[in-house]
Amino acid sequence: MKRVRTVPVERPSHARWAPLLSFAALIAAGSLFALYHARHPRNVPGEIALQLAGRWNKAYPLVCDPQLWCPPYKERLQAQYEALRLDTLLFVPAYTLALLALFGLGSCFLHRQVSRRFAVRGLGATLVMAAADLGENVFEYRALDGLAAGQDGDLAGAAMFSLLKWSLVLPLAGAAGWIGLTLFARVVLMRVRVANAPPCDKPARVQEAHRLADGSERWADPDVIAAPVAPHATTAVRDWAGSAAAAAPRDSALARWRTRAYQPPGREPAAVGICVSGGGIRSAAVTLGALQALREGGVLGRARYLVSVSGGGYTAGAFQLALMPRPAAPGHRSAPLATAQDVFAPGSPEEDHIRRHAKYLADSPREKLLAAGVILRGLGVSLGLLGLAFVVAGVVLGAFYDAVPFTDLTKLRPADGADFPGFAPHPRVLYPVLALVGLSAVVSAVASLVVAHRGSSRPAWVRAITRGPLALAAMVVVFAVVLPAVFWLFAWLAHRAGVPTGGSGISILGALTAASTGLGALYAAMSKKVQDMKPSGEPAPRSPSASSIVTRIGGGPITAVVVWLVLLLLAFFGLSLLSWSAVSAHGWPVGWRLGLPFALLLSAILIDQTTFSLHPFYRQRLAGAFAVRRAVLRDGSIGALPYDFNAESTRLSTHGKRVEGFPQVIFAASAAMSLRNRTAPGRPAVPFTFSHDWVGGPDTGWVRTSTMEETAHPLIRRDLTVQSAVAVSGAAFASAMGTQGSAVQRLLALSNLRLGTWVPNPSYLAEVARHDLDWTMPRLPWVRRLRYQLQELAGRYTDTSPMVLCTDGGHFDNLGLVELLRLRCETVYVIDSSGDPPPLAVTLAEAVTLAYEDLGVRITFDQAEVLRLVPGSAVKVAPEGPMAGLNTRFSADCVVRGVIEYPEPVHFPGRRKPSRFATIVFAKANLTPDMPYELLAYALKEKAFPRDSTFDQWFDHTQFDAYRALGHHLGAEAAKFPVKRGRFGPSGTPPVAPPRSG
């Protein structure tokens, strides 16, 4: 990233003195640890067990050797006294200072506010743990006095306080270790980054989108355009509220729509724009024919923008790459043979190449085996890493329970023929849990009385005190009841089922789980059923004489059952693996117990999760089918040669540039966002686009494409190409599917049967540019680590992460219409091949609704005209008997015209006055009686045409030609509409859209 005029990172008010205090605490803690280790007596058996004993008869053997005459245990008892004294004076202060120091540093230097708040909570929990330890020591002192006198002491109190202490040990130690490693890594990486930073030729400029939208910022040529901030609902108002005097001078009621309609420099309002919808290879074929016809009608040459989604992007990207010159000598490029006027013309080598590669995913047996191998590899890597994580967690928990006897894991390892013990939780667990719940209730009741008396709301610290005891009670229940119960349950199941020992049984279960996961994910992703429907959309009766429309819908309840069964099996296997490793890890060699966590750490850091997903395979298969250019072959003939995928990187900044006579291609994708500060309920996705000039969207901000390419690491840079933009825009099988999300996406993430990729987040790059890579900021990763796949599993996507997950544009808007309206076009052509179920154009209705919600743009159609798109609305074609099947499917028209009303006047090119009104020409992939005879014959033969499932990506030449011909008919009809400026009235008057004759 180029350097920028930097702004200091905002630090908490205590960040000036707290670091010095934290470092002093670390030094003091180290000294106390050393002194404790030097003076601690070596003959203190069962020190931790004594803390949790609870009763005198359990504690007595710990200080009295049963093989000796009792009571000759004074020396041991004295050693217990000494150990307890050293624990109180040295060990408790040592670990308390160490944890306070780490959490203190985290509260000062962790970059995100939520992380700093987490560290502050760690400070409070550390003090609670230290207080519990001291309380336990007090009761243990009294218990030892009782043991010395041969009486029962207060071991019950010591056990209750010990339960509280040990329930906090693992969470606090893990959190403090994470903070320490994070800060250490950022210091080291900052030094490496500064040492290897290239010289900067100019400062990077960051501009604010909302200030550019309201005209209050006048910079030119920015590198990054930051999106408006979006504080979460839990963010304190005082941290974000600004002065009213700083408000925009223009009407603030339209501020949101105005900002979301802002486009980066170079993307000005246009006279003509085209958008092509998603739909896989079906949409690619329709788009090919439609663009051919629109070029013949003179529309394509006048268009300024071509917005593509999913399958429409296959063809849009193919046109773009076919017009790129071929590299010749270094620094030179040969002129392309194809031009904007004849590229992909009927009969051209490029069209023939795509026809022959319509089964782009896999055609030959070899390619199908390769695809199966890619799926198996991804499944193995994903389940292997997750399985390794469960094993490591089991090893850690097993070591914890062996040292801290909340439960006795040795009883879960019965010898052959021995009876299996029953489950019994720690006898003292109920008392601290009830005490903590009662404390929370008392604090809440007192706070309610105070609030009612004063008439004010509860302070934040009161809410924290109320929730704190409940959280601690939950931890006690988890460590003292839930986890021991899980271990006991799975050990009991293995004992009753006679599962072989030594890991062979868990290996068999793992193999069955992996196979079930792979098959279940494939079934869930590919399962679609054919259904006969009436023109009204209702199910049609199953009768040979019934006239119906064939469509393919989702898998329904069977798919849901399969998905949930596989997810439950995965959960069962994970818990089995956790329990098995916790119970049996004590007998493993030390090298395995230490090596497995190290292997997990290396794998989580070094393995790129996206590389082992389906995205690279999908990207390469699409490139092989659609990334071609015209060339002179060896024998002198003219043909189409595919791009060399490995030798020529089709960077967006170079290979995505606009070509004279052809519109600028903008690939519409979506970015996963799951927090309500950016997305509405039911739509966890925001728009995100790729083009040669800018990458990003209104919710993430924009980055100049060349700047993002220079900033990204080489592996991630491969996803900033035209070929990758095509693949990302069509990433339908993803772990985050926007409005289409369900439990299926969790299964896709677990199985690695997922598309989409992680790219640098423009919001993060804007922050980097502002602060000039402050050392506390998280680094842009070199690889998409395990953390990102875990985010996909959890379904949690923030707008501040260094990377953002980009998937199919159809997860936001499958037409690309909203993005084209964001560009402010005077005439909009929409090619819809989305395959909606009858009777209405649902995808269009969703886009119209979203356009108003997102941009304030109103789109209206003449009701009588738009209903001509409904199947069955055409005049019956004679003879009605033989043509009954087609008459049910015939629409009166496939193209309608409507009116677009923008919220504010737009300066369209060539117009003297701004206008709020524009025209939309909508072409729907329907059957009409005026289509060519051969197309009607194919439709009569293929009942699902033109609604073949998007999941059918294996088109033969007849399917491809039929959909291309359908697209050509749509484009030709759309180009006939007389969109003339003379029909527009003065500003504020809507254009007249007379009904189409016929």
Side-chain angles (χ1 to χ4, degrees), residues 63-85:
V63 293
C64 177
D65 191 341
Q67 298 180 0
L68 300 176
W69 292 97
C70 293
Y73 57 88
K74 292 184 178 179
E75 294 182 1
R76 293 187 174 218
L77 192 60
Q78 188 62 35
Q80 292 283 359
Y81 273 116
E82 179 65 15
L84 194 57
R85 187 178 68 85

Side-chain angles (χ1 to χ4, degrees), residues 167-184:
S167 297
L168 286 169
V169 166
L170 273 184
L172 287 180
W178 169 76
I179 290 175
L181 289 176
T182 298
L183 296 179
F184 176 77

Side-chain angles (χ1 to χ4, degrees), residues 574-587:
L575 292 176
S576 300
L577 196 58
L578 178 75
S579 303
W580 170 75
S581 55
V583 172
S584 62
H586 74 289

Side-chain angles (χ1 to χ4, degrees), residues 734-738 740-750 792-793 795 797:
S735 57
M737 297 191 288
Q740 305 170 26
S742 65
V744 175
Q745 63 193 31
R746 302 290 184 271
L747 184 56
L748 296 179
L750 281 165
E792 296 181 45
L793 288 175
Y797 308 95

Side-chain angles (χ1 to χ4, degrees), residues 189-205:
L189 289 177
M190 184 61 196
R191 292 181 178 177
V192 173
R193 181 68 60 85
V194 171
N196 298 335
C200 302
D201 54 352
K202 68 171 186 177
R205 295 189 173 187

Side-chain angles (χ1 to χ4, degrees), residues 130-148:
D133 201 348
L134 293 175
E136 168 220 300
N137 288 352
V138 170
F139 282 97
E140 197 173 344
Y141 265 121
R142 298 181 61 184
L144 290 177
D145 291 339
L147 289 175

Side-chain angles (χ1 to χ4, degrees), residues 529-783:
K529 65 180 182 180
V530 177
Q531 180 171 331
D532 293 345
M533 305 183 74
K534 297 178 181 179
S536 62
E538 300 174 353
R542 294 183 177 274
S543 171
S545 59
S547 299
S548 61
I549 299 172
V550 176
T551 186
R552 286 181 170 87
I553 62 176
I558 296 179
T559 302
V561 169
V562 169
V563 169
W564 281 108
L565 285 177
V566 173
L567 290 176
L568 289 175
L569 178 59
L570 279 166
F572 181 84
F573 172 68
L575 292 176
S576 300
L577 196 58
L578 178 75
S579 303
W580 170 75
S581 55
V583 172
S584 62
H586 74 289
W588 297 357
V590 176
W592 280 98
R593 283 183 283 171
L594 296 180
L596 288 175
F598 184 71
L600 177 62
L601 181 62
L602 286 183
S603 301
I605 293 175
L606 299 180
I607 291 181
D608 183 79
Q609 298 298 314
T610 301
T611 299
F612 293 97
S613 70
L614 285 181
H615 170 70
F617 171 80
Y618 183 54
R619 178 182 62 195
Q620 188 163 4
R621 297 304 300 175
L622 282 175
F626 293 92
V628 297
R629 55 160 67 95
R630 198 175 300 175
V632 178
L633 305 183
R634 286 185 178 181
D635 61 356
S637 62
I638 303 297
L641 290 179
Y643 275 69
D644 190 333
F645 183 81
N646 295 312
E648 184 177 0
S649 175
T650 59
R651 285 196 179 188
L652 280 166
S653 60
T654 57
H655 289 68
K657 284 187 175 180
R658 187 185 179 194
V659 179
E660 184 66 29
F662 191 76
Q664 176 183 352
V665 178
I666 298 176
F667 300 98
S670 62
M673 295 283 175
S674 61
L675 300 182
R676 295 288 77 83
N677 62 335
R678 288 291 183 187
T679 59
R683 188 186 295 118
V686 297
F688 197 92
T689 60
F690 296 86
S691 192
H692 79 92
D693 50 358
W694 298 92
V695 173
D699 294 281
T700 60
W702 293 268
V703 177
R704 193 174 294 278
T705 305
S706 58
T707 301
M708 182 174 281
E709 290 172 348
E710 294 170 5
T711 303
H713 291 278
L715 181 64
I716 300 174
R717 196 178 300 146
R718 298 180 65 179
D719 287 328
L720 299 173
T721 62
V722 174
Q723 295 165 340
S724 183
V726 170
V728 171
S729 178
F733 300 151
S735 57
M737 297 191 288
T739 56
Q740 305 170 26
S742 65
V744 175
Q745 63 193 31
R746 302 290 184 271
L747 184 56
L748 296 179
L750 281 165
S751 63
N752 245 344
L753 190 68
R754 57 194 173 93
L755 299 174
T757 188
W758 293 82
V759 298
N761 186 355
S763 294
Y764 162 81
L765 296 181
E767 198 169 4
V768 169
R770 287 193 189 102
H771 303 301
D772 196 20
L773 269 179
D774 180 85
W775 75 271
T776 64
M777 296 184 66
R779 297 292 171 262
L780 193 66
W782 300 325
V783 295

Side-chain angles (χ1 to χ4, degrees), residues 808-819:
D808 197 311
H811 298 158
F812 181 78
D813 169 27
N814 201 38
L815 289 182
L817 175 60
V818 176
E819 195 59 42

